[in-house]
Amino acid sequence: MTYTSMDNRRRARIPAWTAAALVAVLAGCGGGGNESGPAETLEAMPNAVSVGVTGDCSEGMGPTVTVWGGQPPYKLTNSMPTGMTLDKSRLTYSGEGFTIRFINGVCMTNMPISIEDDMGRLLHVLVSKGA
């Protein structure tokens, strides 16, 4: 195979078998894509948090929640700042996480942590403690 420019000058010669092998290699890799999650939706793991048993409203470290997909950066909003804190208020990269810490011995049921991506898409991680 010969590549010819618009002005009919030869630029490079690539044997047909090399071109076919190159196409096969590129097709085998899947053509790229977004390894950090779907751009249309936000995802979190875990997507809900339930800690402790009924009546156990103790303080302490909670889980780390990892966020991906959508369009970073992500803004975090804590709906229950008297009962839990987040170690970050913003995540810069897809795949980054934040850690919940329970404070003041507050019990809670389905209190949302809102995650908003740069395009305004929202995801809520529901948190329950001692409920």
Side-chain angles (χ1 to χ4, degrees):
M1 175 192 297
T2 301
Y3 168 74
T4 307
S5 67
M6 296 280 292
D7 61 359
N8 290 325
R9 292 186 192 168
R10 287 188 180 170
R11 297 290 181 200
R13 288 184 174 232
I14 302 174
W17 67 269
T18 304
L22 182 59
V23 168
V25 167
L26 291 175
C29 76
N34 184 359
E35 288 80 20
S36 59
E40 310 80 40
T41 60
L42 291 174
E43 305 285 336
M45 183 57 89
N47 58 9
V49 175
S50 183
V51 180
V53 296
T54 302
D56 175 17
C57 303
S58 58
E59 299 179 7
M61 292 302 291
T64 296
V65 177
T66 303
V67 180
W68 69 93
Q71 179 66 45
Y74 310 104
K75 177 184 166 190
L76 308 174
T77 304
N78 179 358
S79 67
M80 187 71 168
T82 58
M84 65 181 162
T85 61
L86 309 178
D87 69 339
K88 300 174 183 170
S89 61
R90 179 181 172 96
L91 302 176
T92 305
Y93 304 105
S94 183
E96 193 175 353
F98 62 92
T99 301
I100 301 168
R101 180 172 182 80
F102 297 102
I103 59 172
N104 298 326
V106 175
C107 286
M108 60 188 83
T109 303
N110 293 328
M111 296 307 299
I113 297 171
S114 299
I115 303 165
E116 182 178 0
D117 77 351
D118 199 42
M119 300 302 291
R121 289 177 281 244
L122 286 173
L123 173 68
H124 301 288
V125 174
L126 300 179
V127 180
S128 296
K129 172 80 169 130

